[in-house]
Amino acid sequence: MEADLVFRGGTVLTLDEADTTATALAVLGGRIVAVGGDAAVSAHIGPRTRVEDISGRAVLPGINDTHMHAAWVGATWPMVFFSDDPPAFDQRLVSTEEERLAALLGAADVAASFGITSYTEPGIGPGEDHGPTGAMGTATLRLYQRLAREGRLKQRVNLLMLFGPIDGPSNLAGLVEGLADYDTATPDPRRFRVAGVKIFADGVPITQTSWVHCHYADGSQGRLTVEGADEAARAEALRRMVVAALRAGHQVGVHATGDRSIDTILDAVAEADVRDQDLRPYVIHGDLATPAQLDRMAELGVGVTYQAGIGTATEPWVSETLGAARARAGWAYAEAWRRGVPASLSSDAPFLSLDWRREVANADAWMGPAGDQRARLTQLLRAWTAIPAWFDHAESWKGVIGVGQAADLVVLDRAPTCAAEMPAVEVDATYLDGLPTYRRGLAPRRARLARPEADRRRPAS
Ligand SMILES: [Zn+2]
């Protein structure tokens, strides 16, 4: 079988569960057809094969950011909120279709330059049609659908619909009404897919708006952002929203940082009783999830996506208001992995940067210096590749390097040996379905690089 593309002479980190490594791989028709030693893979080289010598370099599966506001980050980049120079939170960023297009294509270029081949766009919908940024309304959903039809997406996109404003209140009626109007049109679900619904439960620990069982230093406990006259009514409304979305067959991502919010969500998932539908609901952020809650998540099949950099950046303030022990016990992704919870790491850009390498180092620092460095590196890289594929219901065809998997790949300028060195490692190239979306040294391009599956089967004209 003559391959389109062969990488050889380097380090291939497959990031499969056994942490298999190889030196070469072959790609045909956008799929990986061989992984192994140079000699075995070279059997796939023919006159048409493009051969890439990667000696001294490494190839790993494409990065999948499970929580990245691309439409928003495209309009603010390179400014991010957790920095010395944050963008304004409620400023009009985009107004016209042209500006929205520029933001989405710009975000795609930046993401490709970081090795990102998949992401979840969390929270696009009518709730933001009149939102302050202008970036996350229904027009953005339509634009994604258009770009998918035109084969112009440089990443695979999973989108969560939002039926309230970003970081704002929502209610059951709005959700149920929204779900009735739910538009999932896509020419190719592997490239673009409306995956489910996002619901906001509470705020964030640093502003004491996480809904928590213990009291903050000022005596408050935060609250749910869901509409309702009192605490009980808000909790009931949140439970009913989660149950309604799950029973309608949607994947649900709930923004929840406080342990009290997380309890409410887990109660709702148990109540919905839809385990047999494999919907894979997940908690977004999960900052203050407790070990007991993580056990319950494992039992219920609920995932969580954490942002390591938010933990490291906000710990001093959270320590002041909730105590040092509670702060340090937060962002418990290592506990989540030990307990069998599908826990990914993500950027929440534009809150953090799209630079996942820095996030790998942040997570490593949070976990402390002790332990097997190589196993740690693999676990942290899997939190950006293999584990995110679970969120996308796509582990059978992406997330690791293996025969039959999509050729979504990142080439690094060296083979990393520990997580702490990741920020110094450069992304040399990014491939989606075996086609380059980024090469270091070349100016970012906006050419038609990514063709939908349907197109691929037609002869090039
Ligand atoms: Zn977010």
Side-chain angles (χ1 to χ4, degrees):
M1 213 171 2
E2 183 184 339
D4 299 327
L5 175 67
V6 162
F7 293 98
R8 65 175 177 183
T11 302
V12 176
L13 299 174
T14 68
L15 301 182
D16 65 7
E17 271 178 69
D19 194 15
T20 310
T21 59
T23 64
L25 69 88
V27 174
L28 177 64
R31 298 293 165 92
I32 296 167
V33 291
V35 184
D38 285 3
V41 171
S42 293
H44 295 273
I45 296 175
R48 285 185 21 236
T49 307
R50 177 183 175 127
V51 180
E52 295 269 358
D53 172 21
I54 51 161
S55 61
R57 298 189 286 163
V59 182
L60 53 149
I63 300 301
N64 183 348
D65 191 334
T66 41
H67 193 87
M68 168 184 146
H69 300 272
W72 195 357
V73 82
T76 57
W77 188 264
M79 294 166 100
V80 297
F81 290 108
F82 281 93
S83 70
D84 297 333
D85 184 24
F89 193 81
D90 50 5
Q91 191 181 26
R92 193 80 189 163
L93 297 170
V94 294
S95 301
T96 66
E97 186 73 356
E98 243 77 62
E99 289 168 346
R100 251 186 297 280
L101 180 66
L104 271 196
L105 297 181
D109 280 340
V110 176
S113 75
F114 283 113
I116 295 170
T117 54
S118 291
Y119 65 83
T120 293
E121 170 76 76
I124 297 288
E128 275 289 317
D129 281 351
H130 305 287
T133 66
M136 292 171 276
T138 315
T140 298
L141 169 66
R142 303 273 169 265
L143 183 56
Y144 267 118
Q145 288 170 320
R146 183 186 127 199
L147 292 176
R149 277 197 309 275
E150 293 173 358
R152 293 169 72 191
L153 293 173
K154 283 191 181 179
Q155 284 85 20
R156 305 182 192 280
V157 180
N158 282 271
L159 183 143
L160 297 181
M161 293 287 293
L162 177 68
F163 300 110
I166 279 273
D167 286 312
S170 54
N171 59 58
L172 181 65
L175 177 87
V176 170
E177 223 171 86
L179 289 179
D181 240 358
Y182 194 82
D183 179 355
T184 59
T186 177
D188 177 1
R190 289 190 179 205
R191 283 297 174 92
F192 174 76
R193 149 176 185 271
V194 179
V197 182
K198 179 172 187 184
I199 298 170
F200 278 88
D202 63 1
V204 290
I206 189 175
T207 54
Q208 304 181 40
T209 50
S210 296
W211 195 37
V212 292
H213 287 294
C214 296
H215 291 83
Y216 294 103
D218 67 0
S220 67
Q221 289 178 293
R223 56 170 281 177
L224 291 173
T225 51
V226 178
E227 287 174 13
D230 55 28
E231 204 161 73
R234 290 191 287 272
E236 173 65 11
L238 174 61
R239 252 195 317 275
R240 289 176 63 189
M241 284 163 70
V242 173
V243 169
L246 287 173
R247 291 211 176 135
H250 301 292
Q251 185 175 33
V252 180
V254 188
H255 169 123
T257 58
D259 47 11
R260 223 166 162 188
S261 303
I262 294 167
D263 271 339
T264 309
I265 293 155
L266 296 180
D267 287 346
V269 173
E271 185 190 330
D273 193 21
V274 288
R275 191 72 207 263
D276 56 332
Q277 290 184 46
D278 193 24
L279 298 174
R280 307 187 185 184
Y282 60 94
V283 172
I284 295 168
H285 307 307
D287 304 19
L288 300 173
T290 64
Q293 290 177 328
L294 293 170
D295 281 339
R296 215 174 154 211
M297 287 160 75
E299 187 192 308
L300 290 167
V302 174
V304 53
T305 183
Y306 284 105
Q307 295 78 42
I310 293 181
T312 48
T314 63
E315 184 202 1
W317 289 274
V318 180
S319 287
E320 265 175 38
T321 57
L322 280 174
R326 192 72 191 82
R328 275 300 306 167
W331 295 276
Y333 27 89
E335 278 300 319
W337 294 324
R338 265 194 287 280
R339 289 158 196 271
V341 180
S344 69
L345 294 173
S346 54
S347 69
D348 199 7
F351 288 91
L352 298 169
S353 160
L354 292 180
D355 189 352
W356 58 277
R357 303 165 304 170
R358 255 169 50 193
E359 288 305 292
V360 165
N362 277 332
D364 179 60
W366 188 254
M367 290 163 76
D372 178 338
Q373 297 289 296
R374 167 73 204 187
R376 168 88 58 94
L377 174 67
T378 300
Q379 177 66 67
L380 290 173
L381 294 176
R382 278 176 56 82
W384 286 93
T385 52
I387 296 169
W390 177 89
F391 286 71
D392 300 346
H393 288 79
E395 68 277 12
S396 65
W397 60 272
K398 72 172 184 181
V400 297
I401 290 178
V403 171
Q405 290 262 316
D408 295 356
L409 305 164
V410 191
V411 182
L412 303 178
D413 72 338
R414 74 193 84 162
T417 53
C418 71
E421 72 169 325
M422 280 312 299
V425 173
E426 293 286 353
V427 173
D428 273 352
T430 307
Y431 290 81
L432 183 75
D433 269 343
L435 298 172
T437 54
Y438 168 75
R439 277 172 183 280
R440 187 153 67 109
L442 295 180
R445 290 193 299 162
R446 287 192 187 152
R448 189 187 157 102
L449 294 169
R451 287 181 294 160
E453 304 290 330
D455 261 291
R456 182 180 295 289
R457 288 189 291 272
R458 287 202 293 267
S461 53

